[in-house]
């Protein structure tokens, strides 16, 4: 029974699919928590040295008192940004004058000599692990950026583990257990007593949750008809930035990393109900001969969509064994196939050479053809670089959004919202201009606006923010396109393997991205965006070397994939 044929009778996208799109979208919304929560929990803060003789009042201390320029170095005369960890030394010959109201005159400090601080004054009440675990100053900045790298290493480790669990126990099983484990590790992380404990649970959270996104997509796309898969994937994709926006709002409200983690991870425990309210992947159930559950899902779709299967499909459905037996019997298929081959050989329709050729087409021989083909090998390398560029720039822009002048929460929320029109734009763009021009254009525009951003003065906040949003929108479009592009330009016999290879190599980009704030610390805030721009422009130019796949038949063999360049 062709499972796709049932959608012609039951509706390719009806009430049942819409309800499950929303339910599955909530799981994607939650998965954004484990991917991006470190932006706030390990965020940097605004602070300065505490001057013992001057900051001696009770209660909340003033962050920028009038005397501060006498006591602490500033980045420049124009900027109100004091040094975080250096202060001027106190003049040894200075004598307090009890008759002078100003307790911190310029004469108190020697502005040609500095020393390191041991206590700090914070600008806001916000609390991150920086304050909790004493990670102040540039010598500890790497510990903050390491949190994001550890998270992405956890995702790298979790990808193959999630795939094996999904194939063995089901997509829904991975979605629910991965979400529950992520929630538990996130809650445990909220009670971390030291930096190492925090890192361990950050890693475990990423390992547990990284397969949830893929499992949700598989379930969602298999519940709709072929013509509605792009629509369903667009709807599901939109829930990820919604999750990012909610995180920004929660941290903006709570201002404390422990309360933030509890608030965003506790709802994950309720996803245990998805064992009963969401369906398993129909194709996976059929592959495991669990036809009783397949029939149950189909009946549920009939009721929700108010549709009925045709008599022909009903008869086929009635023939399905409901006791987990294989259908049909493998031995019978083998006998039938042998008879067909014998008849074809007798009639001259199939030669022994063709039979041997078919039987020898294994994945190992296909891989050997890949290595023997210079064109395909270069395509794999180019595609892997494109994946690395997308993950590097996408996550890099998200992380650096909080460093733009202005309210960092609003900046992060705005940059996350930019992903929504990107998904919708990609939906219309790919089928109109083609995959290759869309890929190259989105990367090139992203590169140009990132470079332009670096040269816009800091006081032009609106212009800088606009350029930053355009960059995030373009890299999101590029990220969406590369998923489809990778599937369409590689052969069926190695499509999943090469998609996995390119996407896993791409994870190196997301591992490096959390370290880019260090570049801003040591070399200037413009350096990360210049790097994003240069990499995007390079990858945009190389994308024009890909074959165009719009309206082309998917290649089934390595030879078909090689011939795509000729077309």
């Amino acid at each position: 029974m062709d499972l796709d044929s049932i959608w012609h009778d039951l509706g390719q996208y009806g009430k049942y699919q819409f309800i499950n799109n929303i339910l599955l979208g909530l799981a994607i919304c939650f998965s954004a928590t484990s991917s991006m929560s470190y932006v706030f929990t390990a965020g940097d803060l605004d602070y300065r040295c505490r001057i013992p003789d001057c900051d001696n009042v009770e209660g909340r201390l003033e962050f920028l008192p009038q005397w501060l320029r006498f006591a602490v170095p500033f980045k420049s005369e124009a900027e109100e940004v004091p040094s975080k960890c250096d202060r001027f030394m106190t003049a040894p010959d200075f004598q307090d004058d009890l008759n002078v109201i100003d307790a911190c005159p310029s004469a108190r400090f020697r502005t040609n000599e500095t020393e390191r601080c041991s206590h700090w004054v914070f600008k806001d009440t916000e609390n991150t692990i920086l304050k909790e675990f004493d990670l102040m100053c540039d010598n500890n900045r790497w510990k903050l950026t390491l949190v994001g790298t550890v998270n992405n290493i956890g995702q790298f480790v979790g990808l193959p583990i999630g795939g094996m669990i999904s194939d063995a126990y089901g997509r829904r099983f991975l979605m629910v257990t991965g979400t529950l484990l992520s929630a538990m590790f996130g809650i445990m992380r909220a009670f971390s007593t030291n930096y190492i404990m925090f890192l361990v649970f950050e890693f475990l959270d990423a390992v547990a949750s990284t397969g949830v996104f893929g499992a949700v997509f598989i379930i969602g796309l298999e519940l709709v008809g072929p013509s509605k898969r792009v629509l369903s994937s667009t709807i599901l994709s939109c829930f990820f930035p919604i999750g990012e926006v909610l995180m920004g709002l929660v941290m903006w409200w709570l201002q404390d990393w422990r309360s933030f983690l509890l608030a965003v991870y506790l709802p994950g425990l309720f996803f245990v109900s998805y064992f009963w309210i969401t369906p398993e992947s129909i194709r996976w159930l059929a592959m495991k001969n669990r036809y009783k559950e397949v029939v149950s899902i189909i009946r549920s779709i009939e009721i929700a969509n108010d549709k009925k299967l045709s008599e022909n499909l009903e008869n086929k459905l009635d023939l399905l064994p409901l006791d987990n037996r294989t259908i049909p019997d493998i031995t019978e298929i083998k006998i039938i196939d042998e008879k067909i081959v014998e008849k074809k050989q007798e009639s001259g329709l199939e030669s022994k050479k063709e039979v041997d050729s078919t039987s020898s087409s294994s994945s190992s021989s296909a891989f050997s053809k890949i290595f023997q083909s210079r064109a395909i090998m270069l395509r794999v390398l180019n595609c892997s670089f494109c994946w690395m560029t997308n993950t590097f720039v996408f996550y890099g822009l998200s992380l650096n959004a909080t460093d733009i002048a202005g309210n960092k929460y609003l900046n992060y929320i705005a940059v996350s919202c930019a992903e929504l029109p990107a998904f919708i734009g990609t939906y219309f763009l790919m089928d109109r201009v083609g995959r290759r021009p869309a890929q190259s254009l989105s990367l090139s525009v992203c590169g140009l606006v990132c470079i332009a951003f670096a040269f816009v003065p800091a006081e032009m906040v609106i212009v800088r923010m606009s350029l930053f949003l355009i960059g995030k929108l373009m890299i999101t479009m590029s990220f969406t396109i590369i998923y489809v592009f990778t599937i369409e330009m590689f052969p069926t016999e190695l499509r999943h393997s090469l998609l996995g290879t390119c996407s896993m190599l791409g994870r190196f980009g997301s591992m490096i991205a959390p370290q880019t704030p260090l570049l801003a610390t040591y070399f200037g805030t413009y350096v990360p965006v210049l790097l994003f721009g240069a990499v995007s422009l390079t990858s945009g130019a190389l994308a024009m070397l890909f074959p165009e796949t719009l309206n082309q038949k998917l290649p089934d063999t390595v030879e078909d994939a090689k011939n795509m360049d000729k077309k």
Side-chain angles (χ1 to χ4, degrees), residues 133 143 146 192-202:
F133 301 140
K143 292 183 179 179
L146 182 63
S192 298
T193 56
N194 55 63
Y195 176 73
I196 298 300
M197 181 179 175
F198 181 91
L199 275 187
V200 169
F201 283 117
E202 183 78 43

Side-chain angles (χ1 to χ4, degrees), residues 85-203:
C85 296
D86 292 314
R87 52 163 292 184
F88 294 130
M89 295 185 66
T90 303
D93 54 348
F94 177 77
Q95 297 293 328
D96 285 321
D97 188 349
L98 297 178
N99 297 320
V100 178
I101 298 177
D102 186 3
C104 289
S106 58
R108 176 185 286 274
F109 305 99
R110 297 169 62 177
T111 55
N112 58 341
E113 295 184 53
T114 60
E115 60 181 349
R116 300 294 281 180
C117 306
S118 56
H119 297 86
W120 290 267
V121 174
F122 289 86
K123 184 177 181 180
D124 301 308
T125 57
E126 182 183 357
N127 183 29
T128 69
I129 63 170
L130 175 142
K131 187 188 295 186
E132 195 95 8
F133 301 140
D134 197 22
L135 304 180
M136 275 71 75
C137 301
D138 294 346
N139 60 311
N140 285 318
R141 186 68 189 271
W142 66 272
K143 292 183 179 179
L144 293 177
T145 59
L146 182 63
V147 175
T149 299
V150 166
N151 180 285
N152 283 281
I153 292 173
Q155 294 183 46
F156 185 86
V157 173
L159 279 170
I161 297 175
M164 290 186 288
I165 293 174
S166 175
D167 288 339
Y169 300 103
R171 322 309 186 196
R172 182 177 61 184
F173 178 84
L174 175 63
M175 174 182 68
V176 178
T177 55
T179 303
L180 288 176
L181 286 173
S182 172
M184 288 188 285
F185 290 139
I187 293 169
M188 292 176 188
R189 194 158 78 252
F191 295 98
S192 298
T193 56
N194 55 63
Y195 176 73
I196 298 300
M197 181 179 175
F198 181 91
L199 275 187
V200 169
F201 283 117
E202 183 78 43
F203 174 80

